[in-house]
């Protein structure tokens, strides 16, 4: 009987080793589409369901100049959108909030760039308190949807796009199982890893959902506050890069350090 072969962690995750320089290895890593037909069908089905719901919401909203509505891609686009939506938001607040939330969650779920502009828009139209509540709620809901979508079909996509980053994330999660919430809070508060990657990779490396949810809900508050507050002075904002200067990043990393301080102190006690 042939001896049983033990799979490595990379093989369990489905990550293709960078040392595989064979033509077949390169083809499988670079050329082959990562999703099977079933996984692609599921992802398209979920996308169509979300899209249909979003269209229904917009179709039932009061009449407006829909030709002026578009997802902003620059600060100039955002200023124009804010001017076009200000009166509409005041006249139909419930319908506008529903449409705003649906759009934000849709973008967050399907990794569509531009949610930072939506956060700035919340500050410009709703003020700091309501804006932060809306942004944190939508970002958490969208991240949750992305988490479960990735849990369903994300493994081949993540291992295809970011094999090295996934290995690093897996190793860090494994070392911090006892204080995982603190580590996830640190990642959410600081720009150490992109939120998009965290949303997609967390179910792949077995981060429990309750830890993911709490870390997202709490950890996004500082960045949401900074972005929403900047939306109040959107006329003075020149670029998205102005949001995260050295001072802002220092504050975020300080808050992130405080979140992992219990882990550091516990390790120090164990060593002593």
């Amino acid at each position: 009987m042939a001896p049983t072969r033990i799979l490595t962690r990379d093989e369990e995750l489905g990550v293709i080793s960078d040392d595989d320089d064979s033509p077949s290895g390169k083809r499988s890593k670079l050329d082959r589409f990562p999703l099977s037909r079933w996984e692609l069908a599921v992802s398209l089905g979920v996308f169509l369901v979300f899209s249909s719901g979003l269209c229904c919401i917009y179709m039932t909203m009061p009449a407006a100049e829909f030709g002026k509505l578009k997802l902003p891609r620059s600060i100039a686009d955002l200023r124009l959108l804010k001017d076009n939506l200000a009166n509409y938001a005041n006249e139909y607040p419930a319908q506008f909030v529903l449409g705003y939330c649906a759009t934000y969650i849709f973008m967050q779920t399907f990794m569509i760039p531009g949610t930072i502009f939506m956060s700035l828009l919340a500050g410009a139209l709703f003020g700091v308190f309501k804006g932060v509540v809306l942004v944190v709620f939508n970002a958490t809901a969208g991240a949750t949807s992305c988490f479960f979508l990735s849990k369903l079909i994300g493994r081949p996509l993540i291992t295809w796009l970011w094999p090295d980053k996934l290995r690093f994330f897996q190793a860090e999660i494994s070392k911090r199982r006892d204080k995982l919430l603190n580590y996830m809070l640190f990642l959410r508060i600081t720009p150490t890893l992109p939120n998009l990657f965290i949303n997609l990779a967390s179910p792949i490396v077995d981060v429990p959902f309750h830890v993911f949810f709490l870390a997202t809900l709490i950890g996004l508050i500082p960045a949401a506050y900074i972005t929403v507050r900047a939306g109040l002075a959107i006329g003075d904002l020149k670029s998205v890069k102005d949001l995260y200067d050295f001072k802002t990043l220092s504050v975020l990393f300080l808050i992130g350090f405080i979140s992992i301080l219990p882990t550091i102190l516990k390790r120090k006690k164990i060593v002593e």
Side-chain angles (χ1 to χ4, degrees):
M1 183 176 66
T4 303
R5 179 171 174 266
I6 301 175
L7 297 178
T8 65
R9 167 56 64 179
D10 288 351
E11 289 173 321
E12 290 176 357
L13 288 172
V15 178
I16 299 172
S17 173
D18 293 335
D19 297 333
D20 186 2
D21 294 327
S22 66
S24 60
K26 290 181 179 179
R27 281 198 302 271
S28 61
K29 181 178 179 181
L30 299 176
D31 299 334
R32 187 175 65 84
F33 189 70
L35 299 181
S36 67
R37 291 181 181 179
W38 180 85
E39 290 166 335
L40 182 61
V42 170
S43 60
L44 289 176
V46 174
F47 182 82
L48 288 175
V49 169
F50 271 77
S51 301
S52 300
L54 191 62
C55 288
C56 290
I57 289 173
Y58 279 109
M59 293 296 292
T60 56
M61 292 174 70
E65 297 181 67
F66 289 104
K68 295 181 180 180
L69 301 181
K70 67 174 184 177
L71 293 178
R73 289 290 177 262
S74 67
I75 296 297
D77 289 345
L78 186 61
R79 291 195 192 101
L80 183 61
L81 182 63
K82 184 252 182 183
D83 293 337
N84 291 331
L85 290 178
N87 291 333
Y88 189 88
N90 290 328
E91 293 177 8
Y92 308 101
Q95 292 92 330
F96 178 78
V97 169
L98 181 61
Y100 175 88
C101 292
T103 304
Y104 199 119
I105 295 172
F106 181 85
M107 293 174 67
Q108 190 85 344
T109 300
F110 295 103
M111 301 153 284
I112 300 173
T115 52
I116 190 168
F117 294 111
M118 298 292 288
S119 300
L120 287 167
L121 183 64
L125 294 177
F126 301 110
V128 174
F129 180 75
K130 290 182 179 179
V132 169
V133 171
L134 271 177
V135 169
V136 172
F137 168 78
N138 289 318
T140 303
T144 299
S145 299
C146 190
F147 178 95
F148 285 112
L149 186 62
S150 180
K151 190 178 183 69
L152 183 65
I153 60 169
R155 182 181 296 272
L157 187 63
I158 303 302
T159 55
W160 184 60
L161 290 173
W162 302 294
D164 294 333
K165 192 175 291 186
L166 183 61
R167 279 194 292 266
F168 167 79
F169 191 43
Q170 172 71 63
E172 293 300 308
I173 293 295
S174 298
K175 289 188 297 186
R176 294 171 170 83
R177 286 288 176 188
D178 56 335
K179 289 288 184 180
L180 190 54
L181 179 59
N182 299 84
Y183 179 62
M184 292 297 293
L185 276 171
F186 175 80
L187 293 181
R188 283 303 196 187
I189 293 170
T190 65
T192 307
L193 286 174
N195 279 324
L196 168 61
F197 174 79
I198 297 172
N199 294 343
L200 291 171
S202 291
I204 309 303
V205 299
D206 297 325
V207 173
F209 174 68
H210 71 279
V211 172
F212 175 87
F213 180 82
L214 287 175
T216 302
L217 183 65
I218 300 171
L220 292 180
I221 293 176
Y225 173 79
I226 292 170
T227 309
V228 169
R229 193 168 184 272
L232 296 176
I234 198 172
D236 300 328
L237 200 61
K238 296 179 180 179
S239 170
V240 174
K241 295 180 181 178
D242 296 340
L243 291 172
Y244 296 100
D245 54 13
F246 178 78
K247 181 180 178 181
T248 302
L249 290 175
S250 299
V251 171
L252 289 177
F253 272 100
L254 177 60
I255 298 173
F257 175 76
I258 293 172
S259 70
I260 61 171
L261 189 58
T263 303
I264 297 174
L265 294 175
K266 181 179 179 181
R267 288 186 177 181
K268 186 177 179 181
K269 288 181 179 179
I270 293 174
V271 171
E272 292 176 351

